[in-house]
Amino acid sequence: AAVGRNQAATGLGGELDALEKRLGLDLSQEGNRFLARDAITSVLAPWFHARRVDDLHEPFRKHGVTWGVFRSFGQALEE
């Protein structure tokens, strides 16, 4: 399995496993994920575009995915 928790949370395990095989990279390795970042983004982007931020909380919590909404430094200070 390429990227574990993220696969389970998104349901894209099959697509990410196929990508891993196609690229010949072990995506459980951070350096390989960096090399494949554009290809991984192409798999994940449609899933994220089809959801609102509020839709992410439960599946990510359930599967232990570390994540957060991007905030500028100023926004983080205000919150």
Side-chain angles (χ1 to χ4, degrees):
V3 285
R5 294 178 185 164
N6 296 331
Q7 285 183 354
T10 62
L12 295 172
E15 290 88 341
L16 292 168
D17 286 341
L19 176 66
E20 183 176 57
K21 287 179 184 174
R22 191 184 71 198
L23 297 176
L25 295 171
D26 176 357
L27 295 179
S28 70
Q29 301 295 312
E30 183 177 359
N32 288 340
R33 289 193 304 274
F34 178 79
L35 294 172
R37 65 192 180 279
D38 291 335
I40 293 169
T41 297
S42 72
V43 172
L44 293 175
W47 188 88
F48 281 99
H49 285 289
R51 285 157 184 79
R52 299 174 332 188
V53 171
D54 290 343
D55 298 332
L56 307 178
H57 292 277
E58 182 54 26
F60 285 4
R61 183 203 58 76
K62 179 180 176 183
H63 295 285
V65 175
T66 301
W67 75 288
V69 175
F70 177 81
R71 290 174 176 83
S72 70
F73 185 73
Q75 290 169 321
L77 287 176
E78 288 175 14
E79 294 176 10

